[in-house]
Amino acid sequence: MNPYEDMRIFAQVMEAGSFTAAAERLGMSKQSVSRRLMQLEERLGVRLLNRSTRRLDATPLGQHYYQSALRLLGEVQQVEHDISGQAQALRGTLRLSAPLSFAMAHLGCLLTEFLQLHPQVDVEVDLSDRAVDLIGEGYDLALRIGVLEDSSLIARRIAGVERVYCASPAYLQARGVPSRPDELAGHDCLPYGHSRQVQWQFRQGGKAQALQVTGRMRANNGELLRDAAIAGMGVTYLPTFIVGQALADGRLVTVLDEWRPPALQLSAVYPQHRQVARPVQGFVAFLRERLVQL
């Protein structure tokens, strides 16, 4: 009987979603993994998993055991790092997912600096605006902008993300400068996303307002919308890390500033079992130090 090893096997099965995938990760046979979990359930006197031909689902007690196992495994990992001296130097591979536009604006130089500071760390980066499945797809850490869904993931705030309504001077000269949100009904808008029903949020003092906007162009890429706005195609609503330079050199100007909603949050999220991983914690601390407001 090895409770630590049983916890490790069970956690791998939960993360992989099947005995076969967990066995591959562990370097064991599928039969050995299944037998170890059956013995674990017999020893505990409870059922941890509901098994079917298609999938494995944890019972409520199984979920409780999984969360407790993650915490204990993490503590053991931290002790081993401390004893081996690895707490003094980051090492290992960090698998990172990040939003495309943010990464193109900021992450290149930040990753270069981080890797120069920590020569024993390797980084694998996936750029995508989708919310990746960190556990299922094997990521250590993801950067996300906006409201986070409730989950078992750990979230750390990195920085605020300001968004502005803006358009080109030529467009505003031709179409007029909106002074209230409802005046956008007479304007071409450039909304982010594929949905035909996009709502922009407005706030003035304690008053909040949502308005459905329309226009001749929609896209799920901020740089494309920024360039369309610069070309005089309409009013857009984007983070300052995308339109900041165009605002600074006058190609775009802001509108409806007094109706701007509060900043979004850039957060780092990671699975509970990665909370003591030194590269994860080191990179999160690095970002919190370098980024304050975007």
Side-chain angles (χ1 to χ4, degrees), residues 88-148:
Q88 302 304 315
L90 304 188
R91 65 184 66 188
T93 299
L94 176 67
R95 295 200 67 221
L96 170 68
S97 171
L100 175 62
S101 296
F102 166 77
M104 298 303 293
H106 291 289
L107 206 54
C109 59
L110 289 173
L111 281 173
T112 299
E113 182 183 359
F114 180 75
L115 291 175
Q116 289 173 342
L117 290 172
H118 305 286
Q120 298 183 72
V121 174
D122 298 328
V123 177
E124 298 176 7
V125 186
D126 176 75
L127 302 184
S128 173
D129 290 336
R130 70 184 180 91
V132 300
D133 179 357
L134 271 74
I135 295 176
E137 298 179 53
Y139 289 96
D140 298 306
L141 176 71
L143 300 178
R144 292 179 179 168
I145 297 174
V147 179
L148 300 176

Side-chain angles (χ1 to χ4, degrees), residues 13-281:
V13 169
M14 288 287 292
E15 292 174 13
S18 71
F19 289 139
T20 300
E24 292 177 357
R25 294 185 182 183
L26 292 165
M28 301 171 61
S29 69
K30 175 184 175 182
Q31 293 75 16
S32 296
V33 171
S34 178
R35 184 173 62 253
R36 288 292 294 266
L37 290 191
M38 289 179 63
Q39 291 171 348
L40 172 61
E41 289 177 324
E42 290 176 1
R43 188 173 78 249
L44 296 176
V46 299
R47 180 176 291 278
L48 299 175
L49 293 171
N50 291 319
R51 299 159 174 84
S52 70
T53 57
R54 292 187 177 182
R55 57 181 298 174
L56 296 173
D57 289 313
T59 65
L61 286 175
Q63 284 287 354
H64 178 72
Y65 182 84
Y66 175 57
Q67 298 300 329
S68 298
L70 289 180
R71 184 179 67 256
L72 293 171
L73 291 171
E75 290 176 357
V76 171
Q77 185 182 36
Q78 183 66 63
V79 170
E80 291 181 348
H81 280 318
D82 293 342
I83 296 300
S84 66
Q86 292 189 41
Q88 302 304 315
L90 304 188
R91 65 184 66 188
T93 299
L94 176 67
R95 295 200 67 221
L96 170 68
S97 171
L100 175 62
S101 296
F102 166 77
M104 298 303 293
H106 291 289
L107 206 54
C109 59
L110 289 173
L111 281 173
T112 299
E113 182 183 359
F114 180 75
L115 291 175
Q116 289 173 342
L117 290 172
H118 305 286
Q120 298 183 72
V121 174
D122 298 328
V123 177
E124 298 176 7
V125 186
D126 176 75
L127 302 184
S128 173
D129 290 336
R130 70 184 180 91
V132 300
D133 179 357
L134 271 74
I135 295 176
E137 298 179 53
Y139 289 96
D140 298 306
L141 176 71
L143 300 178
R144 292 179 179 168
I145 297 174
V147 179
L148 300 176
E149 296 181 359
D150 291 336
S151 73
S152 60
L153 300 175
I154 296 174
R156 294 286 306 277
R157 181 190 181 280
I158 300 297
V161 179
E162 289 285 353
R163 293 177 295 173
V164 295
Y165 307 99
C166 57
S168 70
Y171 173 87
L172 295 173
Q173 183 176 5
R175 301 289 296 272
V177 179
S179 60
R180 301 189 312 274
D182 56 13
E183 292 182 2
L184 289 176
H187 284 265
D188 290 323
C189 295
L190 300 166
Y192 181 94
H194 290 308
S195 174
R196 292 185 178 274
Q197 295 183 343
V198 176
Q199 285 191 337
W200 284 354
Q201 304 296 319
F202 303 89
R203 185 181 298 273
Q204 187 181 55
K207 181 181 179 182
Q209 181 178 347
L211 180 71
Q212 184 172 322
V213 295
T214 60
R216 297 175 57 199
M217 177 177 171
R218 295 179 301 277
N220 68 340
N221 179 266
E223 284 82 1
L224 190 63
L225 295 173
R226 174 200 61 201
D227 292 346
I230 291 172
M233 293 293 293
V235 180
T236 193
Y237 178 43
L238 292 171
T240 52
F241 65 75
I242 295 178
V243 297
Q245 185 57 51
L247 293 173
D249 60 27
R251 289 176 295 163
L252 293 174
V253 294
T254 61
V255 297
L256 299 170
D257 289 342
E258 66 274 19
W259 288 92
R260 191 184 306 171
L264 296 175
Q265 300 298 324
L266 171 67
S267 301
V269 297
Y270 45 91
Q272 293 190 31
H273 70 282
R274 302 302 295 161
Q275 63 181 311
V276 296
R278 293 283 296 159
V280 169
Q281 292 300 319

